[in-house]
Amino acid sequence: MKTIGIIGGMSWESSAVYYRLINQEIGRRLGGHYSAKLVLSSANFEEFSQWQKADDWQAIETAVDDMAQGLVRAGADCVVIACNTQHEVAGGVTERLPVPLIHIADVTAEAIQKADFRTVGLLGTRFTMERQFFRGRLKDRFGIDVILPDAEDQTYVHQKIYDEFSKGIFRESTRNRFISIIEKLAGQGAEGVILGCTEIPMLVQAVHTDVPLFDTTTLHAMAAVEFSLI
């Protein structure tokens, strides 16, 4: 079994989900008392939040790179950034890594292709929705078109991620608004919707809507399991 390296803490709420999902899946597949070989480097999310507000992506890349290299020194055979937004710096980090970085957009795109979809909606932080590191990668590498919420809905989604989800707050009223946004995207032609923030699946699951959802947290965690068992 290979060792999975996780860059977490952004936020720790979803990092805990990664840890649980990976270990549960290893146990399910192998039985007995099997659990994952895993090392975790957990960030102080306040630092990253301030760098994001200052648009200081160089500071973020330096911090993520340091964490990734630390995981490798600790024995990691791959690296997983347990946060969609921080994949903005994945390109530079990957260039310096001696082990694979499992990109969250790639595993999501593979699931979309498996569903035979060509157009999907995307929910996430405003960085994930506005910048090209996620939706541009889906289009350029996989030919998948991405529909975004309107400006008002984008602002709402972004604020709830930072003001509620990253603090462990999940309200029914927020879920209802998210479901409305998801269904609006479907009405605009999205065949499914990407939950492109690792906290969103803690609020909205498939039982809440008939629109197909792509849970990036679970997809990413399962890709890490696949790598570890190759």
Side-chain angles (χ1 to χ4, degrees):
M1 185 189 302
K2 296 183 179 69
T3 300
I4 301 166
I6 298 179
I7 296 175
M10 300 172 284
S11 71
W12 71 263
E13 293 282 346
S14 59
S15 300
V17 175
Y18 270 85
Y19 187 80
R20 174 175 55 80
L21 289 174
I22 289 170
N23 280 290
Q24 284 179 338
E25 184 65 9
I26 291 288
R28 187 189 71 81
R29 294 193 188 192
L30 301 182
H33 296 290
Y34 274 95
S35 58
K37 293 177 65 177
L38 184 153
V39 288
L40 170 66
S41 180
S42 188
N44 173 10
F45 189 39
E46 178 63 23
E47 293 178 344
F48 281 78
S49 178
Q50 293 302 321
W51 287 328
Q52 289 169 355
K53 289 177 182 177
D55 202 33
D56 191 352
W57 293 95
Q58 184 56 58
I60 292 173
E61 181 169 336
T62 298
V64 172
D65 190 64
D66 287 347
M67 295 171 77
Q69 296 296 337
L71 290 172
V72 173
R73 290 193 296 272
D77 297 303
C78 71
V79 170
V80 170
I81 303 174
C83 173
N84 283 273
T85 299
Q86 310 317 332
H87 278 75
E88 166 70 12
V89 303
V93 172
T94 300
E95 290 177 359
R96 293 180 290 273
L97 267 182
V99 300
L101 184 147
I102 301 175
H103 200 292
I104 199 166
D106 292 350
V107 300
T108 303
E110 289 165 5
I112 294 167
Q113 288 185 327
K114 187 175 181 180
D116 200 27
F117 292 167
R118 296 291 181 270
T119 304
V120 293
L122 173 63
L123 301 181
T125 67
R126 66 178 175 86
F127 309 109
T128 301
M129 291 186 286
E130 292 176 357
R131 292 172 176 264
Q132 292 298 315
F133 67 88
F134 196 105
R135 61 190 179 97
R137 193 176 181 99
L138 262 60
K139 178 63 174 177
D140 296 342
R141 297 195 176 202
F142 300 92
I144 297 169
D145 292 317
V146 174
I147 300 174
L148 298 178
D150 61 33
E152 180 182 346
D153 286 342
Q154 285 189 43
T155 297
Y156 180 85
V157 169
H158 179 84
Q159 289 178 340
K160 292 301 178 180
I161 289 169
Y162 282 87
D163 295 344
E164 295 182 13
F165 308 163
S166 64
K167 299 176 182 179
I169 301 168
F170 300 94
R171 296 190 172 105
E172 186 69 25
S173 59
T174 304
R175 178 183 293 115
N176 291 338
R177 176 70 181 274
F178 266 68
I179 292 169
S180 175
I181 294 170
I182 287 168
E183 292 177 349
K184 190 186 301 184
L185 288 169
Q188 295 169 356
E191 298 168 279
V193 173
I194 300 168
L195 305 183
C197 165
T198 53
E199 282 79 35
I200 296 177
M202 301 171 73
L203 177 80
V204 180
Q205 296 92 42
V207 296
H208 297 124
T209 177
D210 292 332
V211 179
L213 302 177
F214 295 93
D215 171 354
T216 55
T217 307
T218 299
L219 291 169
H220 207 198
M222 293 305 101
V225 170
E226 290 291 344
F227 179 88
S228 74
L229 296 179
I230 293 174

